[in-house]
């Protein structure tokens, strides 16, 4: 039986993050969408217009027996984490953010981001997931041009 878990990552344009995660062994599904904001049922136009507070994110379903949350988060952070201090207060849809489901996930993520042995100090936002809104169908499995390289 698989050990299915979910986590949500945002690291810029969701197309590049989605492709990166879909290519990660142990990831079952990666769905582009919006989270971390205030409005209900946001559209791409709303989010890009800066009117919602949501980030472009990818909701990840993974098998923790193949890839642990620790390993998945470290892989994401190596590619999409930020050390820019301005990110902690950012409401940009392209901000670096991890949205967790429970306190166990939060503790794992905080430990990685606060690792004193790391040469890089991350300022990725860590937020409890309130609601994930899937992006419009034309954004799923897009793999097209993106502001963040895949």
């Amino acid at each position: 039986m698989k050990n299915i878990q979910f986590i949500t990552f945002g690291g810029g344009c969701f197309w590049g993050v989605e492709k990166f995660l879909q290519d990660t062994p142990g990831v079952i599904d990666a769905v582009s969408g919006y989270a971390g904001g205030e409005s209900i049922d946001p559209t791409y136009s709303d989010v890009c217009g800066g009117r919602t507070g949501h980030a472009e994110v990818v909701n990840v379903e993974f098998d923790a027996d193949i890839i642990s949350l620790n390993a998945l988060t470290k892989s994401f952070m190596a590619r999409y984490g930020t050390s820019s201090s301005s990110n902690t207060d950012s409401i940009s849809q392209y901000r670096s953010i991890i949205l967790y489901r429970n306190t166990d996930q939060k503790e794992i993520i905080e430990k990685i981001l606060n690792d004193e042995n790391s040469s890089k100090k991350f300022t990725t936002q860590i937020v409890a997931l309130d609601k994930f809104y899937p992006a419009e169908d034309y954004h799923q499995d897009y793999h097209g041009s993106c502001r963040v390289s895949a």
Side-chain angles (χ1 to χ4, degrees):
M1 186 168 175
K2 294 180 180 181
N3 182 3
I4 304 299
Q5 295 185 26
F6 294 87
I7 192 73
T8 303
F9 294 120
C13 170
F14 47 45
W15 296 328
V17 177
E18 177 191 79
K19 173 71 171 137
F20 172 73
L21 292 165
Q22 286 174 336
D23 290 344
T24 301
V27 170
I28 297 164
D29 197 13
V31 177
S32 291
Y34 317 109
E38 299 298 321
S39 68
I40 297 170
D41 294 323
T43 66
Y44 183 70
S45 177
D46 295 336
V47 172
C48 288
R51 296 181 296 270
T52 69
H54 288 291
E56 290 190 20
V57 297
V58 178
N59 195 50
V60 184
E61 177 183 3
F62 65 100
D63 184 342
D65 288 337
I66 297 173
I67 187 165
S68 67
L69 176 61
N70 189 309
L72 187 59
T73 301
K74 285 182 177 180
S75 178
F76 168 80
M77 292 304 297
R79 187 153 192 140
Y80 296 102
T82 181
S83 58
S84 169
S85 61
S86 65
N87 188 71
T88 54
D89 298 322
S90 176
I91 59 167
S92 163
Q93 77 266 23
Y94 297 124
R95 66 190 180 270
S96 181
I97 187 171
I98 302 174
L99 298 113
Y100 60 87
R101 302 296 197 286
N102 56 52
T103 55
D104 290 341
Q105 286 186 340
K106 181 181 180 186
E107 289 173 8
I108 290 168
I109 295 161
E110 285 178 338
K111 186 175 181 183
I112 292 166
L113 270 63
N114 296 320
D115 181 2
E116 292 183 17
N117 296 320
S118 175
S119 61
K120 196 172 186 181
K121 296 300 177 200
F122 297 110
T123 58
T124 296
Q125 295 175 1
I126 305 170
V127 179
L129 179 69
D130 181 39
K131 174 88 171 140
F132 171 78
Y133 298 96
E136 298 81 355
D137 287 344
Y138 66 92
H139 289 298
Q140 306 304 327
D141 299 312
Y142 186 80
H143 306 161
S145 63
C146 182
R147 294 183 190 199
V148 177
S149 62

